[in-house]
Amino acid sequence: MLLPLLLSFAHAGPEDQVMMNSSGNRLFWESMPVNYVADPANTEGLDEAETLAAIVAAGGAWTLVDGTEVEFRFRGVERDLHGGYDEKSVVFFTDDWVGGAELLAVTSNWSDTAGEILDFDLMVNTADHDWSLTGEPEKADLQNALTHEFGHALGIDHDKAQEEATMFPSTAPGETMKRDLAESDVAVLAFMYPDNAEGTDAGVSAGAGCSTRPGAPLFVALPALFLVIRRRKEVPCC
């Protein structure tokens, strides 16, 4: 049974979409680019070269947006990837899914106690969902879902108020709208990672008091955030 839509009509500003770690500090990347590797192997029969192009495009949606300093950089293919803290950010597909069947993908961030993100793990659920690279109507669109997950990799939480937003917590089969950032996505990105070319203090790093590091780093896994698939409106919920 699929989860119902998670709707909220209360107005929320960009500051309300900043994720926190278990120590109560805001998550952030200290420096750019954010490097990652990926394994495009999958049991869906998706062409590996085209799958890699979708992965890179999803990260690219958040890269070098006007007024921001974010940059995701693909560093190559590696095989047999897995989750867990290893100072390596990864994207991979798995049939060994242990979460809810309604979940399309999960991103976990690893940070030190001050909130600096040290790596992310992005896992795509191929056990319970059919995937497409072209927005096929009865399948989940890979680039659409991964663009959402790359937002979580930056420490951005769900936007429950704006259905058109990339960071809205659910999607419909065949939807491709979330491949491109909405205005609210750009707003939270600029809030968290402003272009700091002039050297002034701004953004989450300063707000979270992250100029100092704990003497003995404690690595904590953020509870996984996810994108769920929803039924089309004309299909009754069972």
Side-chain angles (χ1 to χ4, degrees):
M1 180 176 177
L2 302 180
L3 288 183
L5 291 180
L6 302 176
L7 297 177
S8 172
F9 298 101
H11 176 75
E15 66 278 4
D16 297 311
Q17 281 185 254
V18 181
M19 292 159 60
M20 313 288 284
N21 68 10
S22 60
S23 296
N25 288 318
R26 294 176 172 183
L27 292 184
F28 69 101
W29 287 92
E30 178 67 34
S31 61
M32 294 290 160
V34 177
N35 297 312
Y36 68 96
V37 298
D39 184 355
N42 64 88
T43 57
E44 293 290 293
L46 301 178
D47 179 82
E48 289 198 7
E50 294 177 0
T51 297
L52 277 177
I55 293 170
V56 173
W62 299 94
T63 294
L64 302 179
V65 175
D66 287 347
T68 75
E69 62 175 7
V70 167
E71 181 181 1
F72 281 108
R73 187 172 295 175
F74 173 60
R75 289 299 192 181
V77 172
E78 292 192 20
R79 301 299 183 180
D80 300 319
L81 297 175
H82 55 83
Y85 176 68
D86 56 7
E87 297 185 313
K88 179 189 296 183
S89 295
V90 299
V91 180
F92 63 97
F93 300 81
T94 181
D95 285 335
D96 298 323
W97 192 256
V98 296
E102 75 281 359
L103 307 184
L104 288 172
V106 166
T107 299
S108 296
N109 290 335
W110 295 82
S111 79
D112 63 18
T113 53
E116 181 183 350
I117 304 172
L118 303 168
D119 84 39
F120 72 85
D121 303 320
L122 196 169
M123 298 170 284
V124 180
N125 179 4
T126 50
D128 304 296
H129 298 282
D130 296 323
W131 290 90
S132 169
L133 298 171
T134 58
E136 294 178 61
E138 300 305 321
K139 297 181 180 181
D141 184 78
L142 183 64
Q143 185 178 332
N144 191 74
L146 291 185
T147 306
H148 175 100
E149 296 302 323
F150 271 104
H152 286 322
L154 292 171
I156 300 175
D157 207 342
H158 287 142
D159 181 347
K160 299 177 182 179
Q162 306 293 328
E163 188 170 352
E164 73 278 7
T166 294
M167 297 312 297
F168 191 72
S170 67
T171 185
E175 183 187 69
T176 59
M177 178 174 61
K178 292 177 175 57
R179 290 183 178 190
D180 300 311
L181 303 188
E183 290 184 8
S184 60
D185 301 309
V186 174
V188 69
L189 187 66
F191 172 76
M192 293 180 65
Y193 298 100
D195 186 350
N196 203 21
E198 297 180 358
T200 56
D201 291 333
V204 170
S205 295
C210 296
S211 59
T212 59
R213 310 274 182 91
L218 173 65
F219 302 114
V220 291
L222 186 80
L225 289 171
F226 50 82
L227 185 66
V228 302
I229 191 85
R230 69 176 186 267
R231 293 181 183 272
R232 295 186 181 278
K233 292 181 180 179
E234 66 270 22
V235 179
C237 182
C238 55

